[in-house]
Amino acid sequence: MEFIKISDCCHYFNGSVNIGYIHKDGKGMLIDSGIDKGTAKKVLKILNEHHLPLDYVFLTHAHTDHYGGASFLQKQLQVKLHAPPLEAAIMEHPVLEPIYLWNGAMPIKQLRNKFLEGDPVKIDGFIREGQHELGPFHFEAVHLPGHSYAQMGILIGEILYAADAYFGAAVLAKHKVPFIVDADAAIDTLENLLNLSFRGALPGHGDYEIDIKETIQANIDCHANIKQFLLSYVNASANGISMNGLLQRMFDHFRLEAREIGQWLLFRTSFTAYISSLIESGEVSISINGHTPWLKGESLKISE
């Protein structure tokens, strides 16, 4: 883990998950906390080596790779935790993530792990979209839904800490189908980022960039390509196709590999988000056929 300076007050810890850090007037604020106690300990060690304080933590969204270390920080330093209200509910009751991944049923033991269920925390303050002050820190909270239900980024000192609103190009190429819960919101968020003014931006996964237009467009194209593939396959199926059948086609086409059930469920959630978008736009209809959800292209129904 490397501690990198962006500007006089803005820094970040780079790694598989980037963690932001702001320092001003003798106070320090983290943006996310890493996946677990071990990551949080490394962050504290580096801050101590640089004689830097930690007073506040802002948690962008309720995925454990971003908030899993917060419980340790809260207990160790009694640091104040802040988060968007809906995301906070999941952080305070982390079993909710494996519950929603497991179709609302009580999840199996394989899903009760640190990658899907972090240690619970007590959120001290809610951060909603707009201008905020925490001690000496004056920042704008930017609503960035799509990857999660109510993800929030921070714009401070002309630097955007964008969480998982977008992914670096190399990360996008590696994972092929990014995790999302709302395809339309994810694309809207990306398009809104193109109109936002800042000097540089840091994604949760990927490199800090001054000009992110090309990276944002790559993310938009990724979502559009996945939606187009799914729609084309539905339209090419004269009698429609089952959701499970189409999900299998997505795995095959993008050469996705799920080594365990949790990873498979994450891919399925993204798949469902894209299908929801196609249904809500009127391009695909859903019904029950042979006791299974069945998809059919609306253009085929019109031609009939």
Side-chain angles (χ1 to χ4, degrees):
M1 180 184 289
E2 187 179 0
F3 187 52
I4 299 173
K5 184 175 183 177
I6 299 174
S7 68
D8 288 343
C9 67
C10 296
H11 310 71
Y12 71 98
F13 300 85
N14 78 327
S16 57
V17 180
N18 294 321
I19 300 171
Y21 178 75
I22 318 296
H23 180 233
K24 186 177 181 182
D25 297 342
K27 299 290 185 180
M29 178 170 68
L30 274 187
I31 302 172
D32 289 334
S33 62
I35 192 169
D36 57 14
K37 176 180 178 180
T39 304
K41 278 187 171 182
K42 290 178 183 177
V43 166
L44 283 185
K45 182 175 183 292
I46 293 172
L47 289 178
N48 288 333
E49 288 172 352
H50 287 80
H51 307 290
L52 291 169
L54 180 55
D55 304 279
Y56 307 96
V57 178
F58 174 68
L59 301 168
T60 60
H61 63 293
H63 292 161
T64 56
D65 56 337
H66 289 259
Y67 81 88
S71 175
F72 170 77
L73 295 175
Q74 190 170 55
K75 293 172 183 176
Q76 186 79 5
L77 303 178
Q78 297 182 338
V79 66
K80 299 294 185 182
L81 304 182
H82 295 76
L86 180 56
E87 303 290 333
I90 300 174
M91 296 178 204
E92 292 188 332
H93 307 280
V95 70
L96 288 171
E97 181 171 358
I99 283 175
Y100 70 66
L101 288 173
W102 197 237
N103 283 340
M106 199 61 192
I108 56 177
K109 289 181 180 179
Q110 289 99 309
L111 302 179
R112 307 292 301 272
N113 59 64
K114 76 172 186 177
F115 300 103
L116 298 176
E117 183 181 353
D119 290 335
V121 296
K122 176 66 175 71
I123 300 301
D124 299 290
F126 294 147
I127 298 293
R128 296 178 172 84
E129 186 174 22
Q131 299 295 324
H132 291 268
E133 291 186 14
L134 286 179
F137 304 108
H138 302 258
F139 60 88
E140 179 182 356
V142 184
H143 189 43
L144 303 172
H147 172 74
S148 71
Y149 302 104
Q151 178 177 246
M152 202 77 69
I154 281 184
L155 182 56
I156 185 169
E158 298 185 284
I159 303 300
L160 175 67
Y161 290 90
D164 289 350
Y166 72 95
F167 299 96
V171 176
L172 203 62
K174 177 182 177 181
H175 292 284
K176 301 171 188 173
V177 175
F179 181 79
I180 56 170
V181 297
D182 186 328
D184 293 331
I187 294 169
D188 286 345
T189 287
L190 291 166
E191 292 175 345
N192 289 338
L193 286 177
L194 292 174
N195 298 317
L196 200 62
S197 178
F198 46 80
R199 186 156 58 88
L202 180 74
H205 306 267
D207 298 327
Y208 171 78
E209 294 180 286
I210 294 174
D211 185 355
I212 66 169
K213 289 185 177 63
E214 187 174 328
T215 302
I216 294 298
Q217 191 59 53
N219 279 257
I220 292 173
D221 292 344
C222 175
H223 293 307
N225 290 339
I226 296 169
K227 282 183 65 176
Q228 185 55 47
F229 165 75
L230 295 172
L231 178 60
S232 297
Y233 209 98
V234 171
N235 285 335
S237 305
N239 298 315
I241 186 171
S242 71
M243 280 192 70
N244 284 339
L246 185 59
L247 175 61
Q248 182 62 55
R249 301 300 181 276
M250 185 186 82
F251 268 87
D252 292 341
H253 179 79
F254 293 101
R255 298 180 181 179
L256 305 176
E257 293 185 10
R259 294 178 294 277
E260 41 80 29
I261 185 62
Q263 192 175 22
W264 185 89
L265 290 170
L266 293 173
F267 280 127
R268 187 187 66 175
T269 300
S270 297
F271 165 79
T272 306
Y274 291 118
I275 295 303
S276 296
S277 174
L278 293 172
I279 292 170
E280 295 299 332
S281 68
E283 296 169 274
V284 168
S285 65
I286 186 167
S287 60
I288 299 297
N289 183 354
H291 311 296
T292 189
W294 199 261
L295 303 171
K296 193 166 187 180
E298 286 297 293
S299 60
L300 291 178
K301 292 177 69 175
I302 293 173
S303 66
E304 292 171 357

